[in-house]
Amino acid sequence: MAKALDGKVIIVTGAGRGIGREIALLAAREGAKVVVNDPGGAADGSGTDASPAEQVVEEIKKEGGTAVANFETVAEAVPASKIVKQAVDTYGKLDGVVNNAGILRDAIFHRMSIDAFEQVIKVHLMGSFYVSHAAARLYREQESGSFVHFTSTSGLIGNFGQANYAAAKLGIVGLSKSIALDMQRFNVRSNCVSPFAWSRLIGTIPTETEEEKARVARMQQMGPEKIAPLSVFLLGDAAKDVTGQIFAVRMNEIFLMGQSRPIRSVHRDGGWTCETLAEHGMPALKGSFYKLDRSADIFNWDAI
């Protein structure tokens, strides 16, 4: 069988470790030339280290693949655009972008610093925008291309202590859908993947209670290699009709996630007042309210 990404040029951000690494390796095995982007920072974004990206490139080359390392940050517009430039300068084109780079700076909301909020937004949301925006001009000219953005159930559902991360990840959903709508006429696709996998970022989750320890133990069984097949598939021509969607991957399960739509309405001739809302409006809607669920409350069975 033909390889899924034969002849394609793919950028994977945050590809030095974890999920990004597995996507880069599989993309190369499926015939892609890969730009392995990773500045090599710590889980909170501090510091730099060229070795993670270089090691992935070396591994790809040992397997007979083609790859080049890139150490730019996605958190600023100019460096992010240089990732796209390197892909084109090195391989002559660009066919796919995986916006996987991320950091975590968790804290309960009232204790979260402004810097912690801004830095997570910059890497996740702004980083996805910067790289995608630079790539979009090329995609427009060649009338083809694919984006795979990484979201999270922390944003789609909710989690404690992750207001910055959740806001960024839900923002990425809006970004992806807008790209899908705006660029569909140019044969450009944009989808989101929400991964369940053990990584060094997940390793920052607190494990103070028995419940938290059990949750982390379950997640440790979910390897990042399980996320790669869907991500790579979405970059290929076999996914030409897949765009504007949100998927979740949990071990061997793939979920198509819902998107916000009206679920119930109330109507009152002449409009509403605070009094009639209290008496009739809210009581009528209350039965359909969403609970304050966390991701673990919704995905509460063992991974398959």
Side-chain angles (χ1 to χ4, degrees), residues 139-182:
Y139 286 180
R140 165 65 181 87
E141 293 173 6
Q142 67 195 26
E143 297 194 349
S144 67
S146 179
F147 293 105
V148 176
H149 314 275
F150 271 74
T151 184
S152 171
T153 54
S154 292
L156 297 170
I157 298 172
N159 246 337
F160 292 140
Q162 292 193 313
N164 47 7
Y165 183 69
K169 289 305 191 182
L170 200 53
I172 286 170
V173 170
L175 174 67
S176 178
K177 190 62 174 286
S178 294
I179 293 171
L181 288 166
D182 287 351

mmCIF file of all heavy atoms in Angstrom, residues 139-182:
data_model
loop_
_atom_site.group_PDB
_atom_site.id
_atom_site.type_symbol
_atom_site.label_atom_id
_atom_site.label_comp_id
_atom_site.label_asym_id
_atom_site.label_seq_id
_atom_site.Cartn_x
_atom_site.Cartn_y
_atom_site.Cartn_z
ATOM 1 N N TYR A 139 -0.672 27.816 1.656
ATOM 2 C CA TYR A 139 -1.809 26.955 1.341
ATOM 3 C C TYR A 139 -2.741 27.632 0.334
ATOM 4 O O TYR A 139 -3.282 26.985 -0.574
ATOM 5 C CB TYR A 139 -2.595 26.640 2.619
ATOM 6 C CG TYR A 139 -1.942 25.657 3.560
ATOM 7 C CD1 TYR A 139 -2.573 25.312 4.750
ATOM 8 C CD2 TYR A 139 -0.721 25.057 3.294
ATOM 9 C CE1 TYR A 139 -2.018 24.400 5.634
ATOM 10 C CE2 TYR A 139 -0.142 24.151 4.160
ATOM 11 C CZ TYR A 139 -0.795 23.827 5.333
ATOM 12 O OH TYR A 139 -0.242 22.932 6.213
ATOM 13 N N ARG A 140 -2.954 28.925 0.524
ATOM 14 C CA ARG A 140 -3.825 29.678 -0.393
ATOM 15 C C ARG A 140 -3.268 29.645 -1.807
ATOM 16 O O ARG A 140 -3.999 29.432 -2.784
ATOM 17 C CB ARG A 140 -3.954 31.124 0.095
ATOM 18 C CG ARG A 140 -4.517 32.115 -0.921
ATOM 19 C CD ARG A 140 -5.965 31.793 -1.274
ATOM 20 N NE ARG A 140 -6.474 32.734 -2.252
ATOM 21 C CZ ARG A 140 -6.353 32.618 -3.568
ATOM 22 N NH1 ARG A 140 -5.686 31.591 -4.082
ATOM 23 N NH2 ARG A 140 -6.873 33.511 -4.390
ATOM 24 N N GLU A 141 -1.980 29.842 -1.934
ATOM 25 C CA GLU A 141 -1.351 29.876 -3.264
ATOM 26 C C GLU A 141 -1.398 28.514 -3.956
ATOM 27 O O GLU A 141 -1.674 28.425 -5.151
ATOM 28 C CB GLU A 141 0.097 30.361 -3.151
ATOM 29 C CG GLU A 141 0.227 31.817 -2.734
ATOM 30 C CD GLU A 141 1.673 32.204 -2.460
ATOM 31 O OE1 GLU A 141 2.577 31.370 -2.706
ATOM 32 O OE2 GLU A 141 1.896 33.334 -1.983
ATOM 33 N N GLN A 142 -1.138 27.458 -3.198
ATOM 34 C CA GLN A 142 -1.093 26.124 -3.805
ATOM 35 C C GLN A 142 -2.452 25.427 -3.803
ATOM 36 O O GLN A 142 -2.627 24.357 -4.384
ATOM 37 C CB GLN A 142 -0.063 25.253 -3.093
ATOM 38 C CG GLN A 142 -0.419 24.895 -1.653
ATOM 39 C CD GLN A 142 0.762 24.343 -0.870
ATOM 40 O OE1 GLN A 142 1.920 24.638 -1.172
ATOM 41 N NE2 GLN A 142 0.481 23.523 0.138
ATOM 42 N N GLU A 143 -3.429 26.045 -3.089
ATOM 43 C CA GLU A 143 -4.796 25.522 -2.985
ATOM 44 C C GLU A 143 -4.832 24.101 -2.431
ATOM 45 O O GLU A 143 -5.530 23.223 -2.936
ATOM 46 C CB GLU A 143 -5.523 25.618 -4.332
ATOM 47 C CG GLU A 143 -5.704 27.051 -4.806
ATOM 48 C CD GLU A 143 -6.695 27.182 -5.953
ATOM 49 O OE1 GLU A 143 -7.079 26.145 -6.525
ATOM 50 O OE2 GLU A 143 -7.081 28.327 -6.264
ATOM 51 N N SER A 144 -4.096 23.920 -1.340
ATOM 52 C CA SER A 144 -4.123 22.652 -0.617
ATOM 53 C C SER A 144 -3.388 22.826 0.711
ATOM 54 O O SER A 144 -2.589 23.745 0.868
ATOM 55 C CB SER A 144 -3.458 21.528 -1.425
ATOM 56 O OG SER A 144 -2.071 21.769 -1.570
ATOM 57 N N GLY A 145 -3.665 21.926 1.639
ATOM 58 C CA GLY A 145 -2.969 21.948 2.921
ATOM 59 C C GLY A 145 -3.860 21.477 4.043
ATOM 60 O O GLY A 145 -5.093 21.449 3.929
ATOM 61 N N SER A 146 -3.234 21.099 5.145
ATOM 62 C CA SER A 146 -3.978 20.588 6.296
ATOM 63 C C SER A 146 -3.381 21.109 7.591
ATOM 64 O O SER A 146 -2.164 21.245 7.714
ATOM 65 C CB SER A 146 -3.958 19.052 6.290
ATOM 66 O OG SER A 146 -4.644 18.543 7.410
ATOM 67 N N PHE A 147 -4.264 21.388 8.545
ATOM 68 C CA PHE A 147 -3.865 21.753 9.900
ATOM 69 C C PHE A 147 -4.435 20.734 10.872
ATOM 70 O O PHE A 147 -5.605 20.345 10.768
ATOM 71 C CB PHE A 147 -4.413 23.129 10.298
ATOM 72 C CG PHE A 147 -3.849 24.281 9.533
ATOM 73 C CD1 PHE A 147 -4.598 24.912 8.549
ATOM 74 C CD2 PHE A 147 -2.573 24.758 9.799
ATOM 75 C CE1 PHE A 147 -4.092 25.993 7.847
ATOM 76 C CE2 PHE A 147 -2.053 25.839 9.100
ATOM 77 C CZ PHE A 147 -2.810 26.461 8.120
ATOM 78 N N VAL A 148 -3.621 20.318 11.829
ATOM 79 C CA VAL A 148 -4.089 19.529 12.968
ATOM 80 C C VAL A 148 -3.689 20.294 14.223
ATOM 81 O O VAL A 148 -2.499 20.491 14.488
ATOM 82 C CB VAL A 148 -3.491 18.112 12.983
ATOM 83 C CG1 VAL A 148 -3.925 17.369 14.241
ATOM 84 C CG2 VAL A 148 -3.891 17.340 11.740
ATOM 85 N N HIS A 149 -4.688 20.752 14.964
ATOM 86 C CA HIS A 149 -4.443 21.537 16.177
ATOM 87 C C HIS A 149 -4.779 20.689 17.391
ATOM 88 O O HIS A 149 -5.739 19.915 17.372
ATOM 89 C CB HIS A 149 -5.331 22.784 16.209
ATOM 90 C CG HIS A 149 -5.384 23.550 14.936
ATOM 91 N ND1 HIS A 149 -4.454 24.506 14.588
ATOM 92 C CD2 HIS A 149 -6.270 23.506 13.906
ATOM 93 C CE1 HIS A 149 -4.771 25.022 13.408
ATOM 94 N NE2 HIS A 149 -5.860 24.426 12.975
ATOM 95 N N PHE A 150 -4.035 20.892 18.457
ATOM 96 C CA PHE A 150 -4.293 20.114 19.664
ATOM 97 C C PHE A 150 -5.096 20.915 20.679
ATOM 98 O O PHE A 150 -4.683 21.987 21.106
ATOM 99 C CB PHE A 150 -2.982 19.598 20.256
ATOM 100 C CG PHE A 150 -2.604 18.273 19.672
ATOM 101 C CD1 PHE A 150 -2.120 18.201 18.378
ATOM 102 C CD2 PHE A 150 -2.808 17.103 20.373
ATOM 103 C CE1 PHE A 150 -1.822 16.988 17.791
ATOM 104 C CE2 PHE A 150 -2.524 15.870 19.798
ATOM 105 C CZ PHE A 150 -2.020 15.807 18.503
ATOM 106 N N THR A 151 -6.246 20.367 21.010
ATOM 107 C CA THR A 151 -7.105 20.940 22.048
ATOM 108 C C THR A 151 -7.062 20.023 23.264
ATOM 109 O O THR A 151 -6.180 19.173 23.378
ATOM 110 C CB THR A 151 -8.536 21.145 21.521
ATOM 111 O OG1 THR A 151 -9.320 21.801 22.529
ATOM 112 C CG2 THR A 151 -9.200 19.838 21.129
ATOM 113 N N SER A 152 -7.984 20.184 24.200
ATOM 114 C CA SER A 152 -7.980 19.370 25.414
ATOM 115 C C SER A 152 -9.369 19.345 26.024
ATOM 116 O O SER A 152 -10.126 20.333 25.919
ATOM 117 C CB SER A 152 -6.994 19.937 26.432
ATOM 118 O OG SER A 152 -7.126 19.285 27.683
ATOM 119 N N THR A 153 -9.697 18.247 26.683
ATOM 120 C CA THR A 153 -10.955 18.207 27.422
ATOM 121 C C THR A 153 -10.939 19.165 28.612
ATOM 122 O O THR A 153 -11.991 19.461 29.173
ATOM 123 C CB THR A 153 -11.266 16.784 27.920
ATOM 124 O OG1 THR A 153 -10.154 16.285 28.663
ATOM 125 C CG2 THR A 153 -11.579 15.859 26.755
ATOM 126 N N SER A 154 -9.781 19.678 28.978
ATOM 127 C CA SER A 154 -9.742 20.728 29.998
ATOM 128 C C SER A 154 -10.518 21.947 29.537
ATOM 129 O O SER A 154 -11.135 22.642 30.345
ATOM 130 C CB SER A 154 -8.296 21.122 30.311
ATOM 131 O OG SER A 154 -7.617 20.069 30.955
ATOM 132 N N GLY A 155 -10.487 22.223 28.238
ATOM 133 C CA GLY A 155 -11.278 23.307 27.676
ATOM 134 C C GLY A 155 -12.647 22.853 27.221
ATOM 135 O O GLY A 155 -13.653 23.533 27.430
ATOM 136 N N LEU A 156 -12.726 21.690 26.592
ATOM 137 C CA LEU A 156 -13.995 21.189 26.058
ATOM 138 C C LEU A 156 -14.974 20.825 27.166
ATOM 139 O O LEU A 156 -16.183 20.974 27.004
ATOM 140 C CB LEU A 156 -13.734 19.947 25.195
ATOM 141 C CG LEU A 156 -12.872 20.150 23.946
ATOM 142 C CD1 LEU A 156 -12.497 18.801 23.343
ATOM 143 C CD2 LEU A 156 -13.603 21.006 22.926
ATOM 144 N N ILE A 157 -14.451 20.344 28.308
ATOM 145 C CA ILE A 157 -15.302 19.919 29.421
ATOM 146 C C ILE A 157 -15.004 20.728 30.675
ATOM 147 O O ILE A 157 -15.875 21.397 31.212
ATOM 148 C CB ILE A 157 -15.127 18.414 29.699
ATOM 149 C CG1 ILE A 157 -15.555 17.600 28.467
ATOM 150 C CG2 ILE A 157 -15.948 17.998 30.929
ATOM 151 C CD1 ILE A 157 -15.255 16.122 28.554
ATOM 152 N N GLY A 158 -13.746 20.677 31.136
ATOM 153 C CA GLY A 158 -13.365 21.451 32.315
ATOM 154 C C GLY A 158 -12.399 20.689 33.200
ATOM 155 O O GLY A 158 -12.327 19.460 33.152
ATOM 156 N N ASN A 159 -11.631 21.420 33.997
ATOM 157 C CA ASN A 159 -10.698 20.839 34.945
ATOM 158 C C ASN A 159 -10.353 21.865 36.010
ATOM 159 O O ASN A 159 -10.458 23.072 35.783
ATOM 160 C CB ASN A 159 -9.419 20.371 34.256
ATOM 161 C CG ASN A 159 -9.246 18.863 34.315
ATOM 162 O OD1 ASN A 159 -9.800 18.202 35.181
ATOM 163 N ND2 ASN A 159 -8.482 18.325 33.392
ATOM 164 N N PHE A 160 -9.926 21.380 37.165
ATOM 165 C CA PHE A 160 -9.486 22.282 38.223
ATOM 166 C C PHE A 160 -8.114 22.869 37.888
ATOM 167 O O PHE A 160 -7.246 22.199 37.340
ATOM 168 C CB PHE A 160 -9.374 21.536 39.562
ATOM 169 C CG PHE A 160 -10.688 21.084 40.131
ATOM 170 C CD1 PHE A 160 -10.796 19.838 40.733
ATOM 171 C CD2 PHE A 160 -11.807 21.894 40.084
ATOM 172 C CE1 PHE A 160 -11.998 19.410 41.284
ATOM 173 C CE2 PHE A 160 -13.014 21.478 40.624
ATOM 174 C CZ PHE A 160 -13.114 20.235 41.217
ATOM 175 N N GLY A 161 -7.908 24.123 38.249
ATOM 176 C CA GLY A 161 -6.586 24.723 38.246
ATOM 177 C C GLY A 161 -5.971 24.954 36.884
ATOM 178 O O GLY A 161 -4.755 25.086 36.765
ATOM 179 N N GLN A 162 -6.805 25.036 35.836
ATOM 180 C CA GLN A 162 -6.256 25.174 34.483
ATOM 181 C C GLN A 162 -6.982 26.242 33.670
ATOM 182 O O GLN A 162 -7.238 26.064 32.483
ATOM 183 C CB GLN A 162 -6.307 23.831 33.753
ATOM 184 C CG GLN A 162 -5.365 22.790 34.333
ATOM 185 C CD GLN A 162 -5.203 21.586 33.421
ATOM 186 O OE1 GLN A 162 -6.161 21.025 32.915
ATOM 187 N NE2 GLN A 162 -3.957 21.201 33.185
ATOM 188 N N ALA A 163 -7.293 27.365 34.279
ATOM 189 C CA ALA A 163 -8.015 28.419 33.561
ATOM 190 C C ALA A 163 -7.240 28.890 32.332
ATOM 191 O O ALA A 163 -7.826 29.134 31.266
ATOM 192 C CB ALA A 163 -8.279 29.600 34.495
ATOM 193 N N ASN A 164 -5.921 29.010 32.475
ATOM 194 C CA ASN A 164 -5.103 29.455 31.345
ATOM 195 C C ASN A 164 -5.096 28.420 30.221
ATOM 196 O O ASN A 164 -5.321 28.729 29.047
ATOM 197 C CB ASN A 164 -3.679 29.781 31.799
ATOM 198 C CG ASN A 164 -3.063 28.700 32.696
ATOM 199 O OD1 ASN A 164 -3.627 27.624 32.904
ATOM 200 N ND2 ASN A 164 -1.878 28.986 33.218
ATOM 201 N N TYR A 165 -4.853 27.192 30.578
ATOM 202 C CA TYR A 165 -4.778 26.085 29.618
ATOM 203 C C TYR A 165 -6.139 25.844 28.966
ATOM 204 O O TYR A 165 -6.249 25.668 27.750
ATOM 205 C CB TYR A 165 -4.295 24.844 30.361
ATOM 206 C CG TYR A 165 -4.077 23.617 29.526
ATOM 207 C CD1 TYR A 165 -3.038 23.546 28.600
ATOM 208 C CD2 TYR A 165 -4.890 22.497 29.693
ATOM 209 C CE1 TYR A 165 -2.828 22.393 27.858
ATOM 210 C CE2 TYR A 165 -4.676 21.341 28.962
ATOM 211 C CZ TYR A 165 -3.651 21.304 28.038
ATOM 212 O OH TYR A 165 -3.442 20.152 27.309
ATOM 213 N N ALA A 166 -7.198 25.847 29.772
ATOM 214 C CA ALA A 166 -8.547 25.610 29.250
ATOM 215 C C ALA A 166 -8.958 26.716 28.283
ATOM 216 O O ALA A 166 -9.537 26.448 27.225
ATOM 217 C CB ALA A 166 -9.545 25.516 30.402
ATOM 218 N N ALA A 167 -8.661 27.965 28.646
ATOM 219 C CA ALA A 167 -9.011 29.086 27.771
ATOM 220 C C ALA A 167 -8.273 28.990 26.440
ATOM 221 O O ALA A 167 -8.846 29.215 25.370
ATOM 222 C CB ALA A 167 -8.683 30.412 28.461
ATOM 223 N N ALA A 168 -6.997 28.635 26.512
ATOM 224 C CA ALA A 168 -6.207 28.487 25.283
ATOM 225 C C ALA A 168 -6.740 27.350 24.421
ATOM 226 O O ALA A 168 -6.897 27.488 23.202
ATOM 227 C CB ALA A 168 -4.739 28.248 25.634
ATOM 228 N N LYS A 169 -7.031 26.215 25.049
ATOM 229 C CA LYS A 169 -7.442 25.034 24.291
ATOM 230 C C LYS A 169 -8.828 25.183 23.684
ATOM 231 O O LYS A 169 -9.094 24.655 22.594
ATOM 232 C CB LYS A 169 -7.372 23.798 25.189
ATOM 233 C CG LYS A 169 -5.951 23.357 25.516
ATOM 234 C CD LYS A 169 -5.131 23.128 24.249
ATOM 235 C CE LYS A 169 -3.818 22.435 24.513
ATOM 236 N NZ LYS A 169 -3.010 22.259 23.298
ATOM 237 N N LEU A 170 -9.724 25.890 24.368
ATOM 238 C CA LEU A 170 -11.033 26.137 23.771
ATOM 239 C C LEU A 170 -10.921 27.211 22.689
ATOM 240 O O LEU A 170 -11.628 27.155 21.678
ATOM 241 C CB LEU A 170 -12.046 26.550 24.837
ATOM 242 C CG LEU A 170 -13.511 26.377 24.452
ATOM 243 C CD1 LEU A 170 -13.809 24.960 23.975
ATOM 244 C CD2 LEU A 170 -14.419 26.742 25.624
ATOM 245 N N GLY A 171 -10.012 28.158 22.878
ATOM 246 C CA GLY A 171 -9.747 29.142 21.831
ATOM 247 C C GLY A 171 -9.241 28.498 20.553
ATOM 248 O O GLY A 171 -9.583 28.918 19.443
ATOM 249 N N ILE A 172 -8.438 27.451 20.700
ATOM 250 C CA ILE A 172 -7.912 26.725 19.539
ATOM 251 C C ILE A 172 -9.049 26.080 18.750
ATOM 252 O O ILE A 172 -8.998 26.012 17.519
ATOM 253 C CB ILE A 172 -6.871 25.691 19.988
ATOM 254 C CG1 ILE A 172 -5.575 26.412 20.386
ATOM 255 C CG2 ILE A 172 -6.592 24.657 18.903
ATOM 256 C CD1 ILE A 172 -4.555 25.536 21.075
ATOM 257 N N VAL A 173 -10.094 25.629 19.441
ATOM 258 C CA VAL A 173 -11.254 25.060 18.744
ATOM 259 C C VAL A 173 -11.895 26.113 17.844
ATOM 260 O O VAL A 173 -12.221 25.848 16.686
ATOM 261 C CB VAL A 173 -12.281 24.516 19.759
ATOM 262 C CG1 VAL A 173 -13.589 24.150 19.073
ATOM 263 C CG2 VAL A 173 -11.703 23.314 20.490
ATOM 264 N N GLY A 174 -12.073 27.320 18.373
ATOM 265 C CA GLY A 174 -12.627 28.399 17.563
ATOM 266 C C GLY A 174 -11.728 28.773 16.407
ATOM 267 O O GLY A 174 -12.197 29.042 15.293
ATOM 268 N N LEU A 175 -10.423 28.791 16.663
ATOM 269 C CA LEU A 175 -9.456 29.085 15.609
ATOM 270 C C LEU A 175 -9.549 28.052 14.495
ATOM 271 O O LEU A 175 -9.616 28.390 13.305
ATOM 272 C CB LEU A 175 -8.046 29.102 16.199
ATOM 273 C CG LEU A 175 -6.885 29.255 15.215
ATOM 274 C CD1 LEU A 175 -6.905 30.638 14.570
ATOM 275 C CD2 LEU A 175 -5.554 29.007 15.909
ATOM 276 N N SER A 176 -9.569 26.789 14.869
ATOM 277 C CA SER A 176 -9.611 25.717 13.882
ATOM 278 C C SER A 176 -10.873 25.784 13.031
ATOM 279 O O SER A 176 -10.820 25.638 11.802
ATOM 280 C CB SER A 176 -9.526 24.359 14.584
ATOM 281 O OG SER A 176 -9.623 23.297 13.648
ATOM 282 N N LYS A 177 -12.008 25.999 13.679
ATOM 283 C CA LYS A 177 -13.270 26.065 12.931
ATOM 284 C C LYS A 177 -13.284 27.250 11.971
ATOM 285 O O LYS A 177 -13.760 27.138 10.831
ATOM 286 C CB LYS A 177 -14.444 26.152 13.909
ATOM 287 C CG LYS A 177 -15.814 25.990 13.265
ATOM 288 C CD LYS A 177 -15.968 24.624 12.618
ATOM 289 C CE LYS A 177 -17.370 24.391 12.087
ATOM 290 N NZ LYS A 177 -18.355 24.140 13.174
ATOM 291 N N SER A 178 -12.741 28.374 12.411
ATOM 292 C CA SER A 178 -12.683 29.551 11.540
ATOM 293 C C SER A 178 -11.787 29.314 10.330
ATOM 294 O O SER A 178 -12.120 29.707 9.209
ATOM 295 C CB SER A 178 -12.193 30.772 12.327
ATOM 296 O OG SER A 178 -13.140 31.130 13.317
ATOM 297 N N ILE A 179 -10.640 28.661 10.562
ATOM 298 C CA ILE A 179 -9.757 28.325 9.447
ATOM 299 C C ILE A 179 -10.476 27.396 8.479
ATOM 300 O O ILE A 179 -10.422 27.579 7.253
ATOM 301 C CB ILE A 179 -8.454 27.673 9.957
ATOM 302 C CG1 ILE A 179 -7.619 28.669 10.750
ATOM 303 C CG2 ILE A 179 -7.642 27.117 8.786
ATOM 304 C CD1 ILE A 179 -6.426 28.050 11.471
ATOM 305 N N ALA A 180 -11.178 26.398 9.011
ATOM 306 C CA ALA A 180 -11.897 25.446 8.157
ATOM 307 C C ALA A 180 -12.933 26.163 7.296
ATOM 308 O O ALA A 180 -13.073 25.868 6.099
ATOM 309 C CB ALA A 180 -12.562 24.375 9.023
ATOM 310 N N LEU A 181 -13.644 27.102 7.897
ATOM 311 C CA LEU A 181 -14.665 27.845 7.159
ATOM 312 C C LEU A 181 -14.052 28.786 6.116
ATOM 313 O O LEU A 181 -14.480 28.835 4.963
ATOM 314 C CB LEU A 181 -15.533 28.641 8.131
ATOM 315 C CG LEU A 181 -16.498 27.830 8.998
ATOM 316 C CD1 LEU A 181 -17.034 28.686 10.140
ATOM 317 C CD2 LEU A 181 -17.645 27.285 8.154
ATOM 318 N N ASP A 182 -13.035 29.528 6.533
ATOM 319 C CA ASP A 182 -12.449 30.544 5.655
ATOM 320 C C ASP A 182 -11.668 29.951 4.492
ATOM 321 O O ASP A 182 -11.588 30.545 3.417
ATOM 322 C CB ASP A 182 -11.518 31.460 6.454
ATOM 323 C CG ASP A 182 -12.269 32.414 7.364
ATOM 324 O OD1 ASP A 182 -13.513 32.485 7.246
ATOM 325 O OD2 ASP A 182 -11.625 33.078 8.200
#
